[in-house]
Amino acid sequence: MPLTQLEAFALTLAIEALAAFALGRSLKLPPLKCAVAAVAASTLTHPILWAVFADAAAFFGTSTTPLLEVAVMAAETPFYRALATARWRDAALLSIVVNAASWGAGELIYALT
């Protein structure tokens, strides 16, 4: 059974906030600020991703998820830069790792259902 948009959004927020918190600690960044950045970024990008996915899938086919995830990572990097770190490299790393964790969890959920 596929997840509803609300279920997917709640899982995204939980997974990404926890991943950002943990990664923030390992990067010696304020973990709570990293988690807040994850929630803020996903609050903007998740509804947009959900809204465009079907149309994008009709055009990009099996490349849709990777292409849209790369776009999301790029769009979310400035949130991490503004809210959690002064370094663009750390902001990009946070965005990439956190979104990869969420994407991987989503793939696992769909594989198990």
Side-chain angles (χ1 to χ4, degrees):
M1 175 175 75
L3 297 175
T4 67
Q5 182 178 2
L6 185 57
E7 291 167 335
F9 184 52
L11 276 171
T12 295
L13 293 180
I15 292 164
E16 292 190 10
L18 288 171
F21 188 93
L23 185 56
R25 284 190 136 179
S26 70
L27 294 175
K28 297 188 179 3
L29 297 171
L32 188 56
K33 286 184 178 184
C34 293
V36 168
V39 169
S42 291
T43 297
L44 174 71
T45 61
H46 193 273
I48 295 168
L49 177 68
W50 196 273
V52 303
F53 189 86
D55 290 335
F59 187 77
F60 293 115
T62 59
S63 299
T64 302
T65 300
L67 290 172
L68 290 179
E69 283 293 339
V70 168
V72 165
M73 291 173 193
E76 291 186 0
T77 296
F79 283 86
Y80 289 102
R81 170 61 179 79
L83 300 174
T85 180
R87 298 178 58 176
W88 281 105
R89 191 189 93 206
D90 289 342
L93 181 61
L94 279 160
S95 185
I96 291 166
V97 171
V98 164
N99 280 286
S102 182
W103 179 8
E107 291 293 329
L108 180 62
I109 289 167
Y110 279 105
L112 296 174
T113 58

